[in-house]
Amino acid sequence: MAQFYVNQNQQTGGEHEVHVEGCDFMPFEQNLLELGGHDDCANALEVAKNTYDEVNGCKHCCPDCHTK
């Protein structure tokens, strides 16, 4: 089970990006909101949607959930 985080800062498109722990493109720690352990990025995105209306998976560490 991987640990997921969402960037509290919006991307240029307005979405908040979800990352898996260890991603080379994770934002600074103070900008992260922990989403907990999940079997896949889809579950992590659902949890992130409880906080943010627009979320997207990182194209590098969550390509299956990257749409923009």
Side-chain angles (χ1 to χ4, degrees):
M1 190 172 293
Q3 293 295 316
F4 287 85
Y5 300 85
V6 63
N7 188 348
Q8 296 183 79
N9 297 326
Q10 290 180 325
Q11 302 298 305
T12 56
E15 73 278 4
H16 294 265
E17 201 166 59
V18 172
H19 296 269
V20 68
E21 187 173 47
C23 176
D24 290 337
F25 295 91
M26 278 184 64
F28 293 115
E29 187 174 342
Q30 66 265 25
N31 297 331
L32 294 175
L33 175 64
E34 186 174 353
L35 299 173
H38 299 278
D39 292 327
D40 58 39
C41 60
N43 289 335
L45 257 68
E46 288 302 314
V47 173
K49 287 178 183 176
N50 291 330
T51 305
Y52 300 111
D53 290 332
E54 290 190 51
V55 296
N56 194 17
C58 170
K59 69 179 179 180
H60 301 283
C61 65
C62 299
D64 292 343
C65 295
H66 178 75
T67 58
K68 294 183 184 182

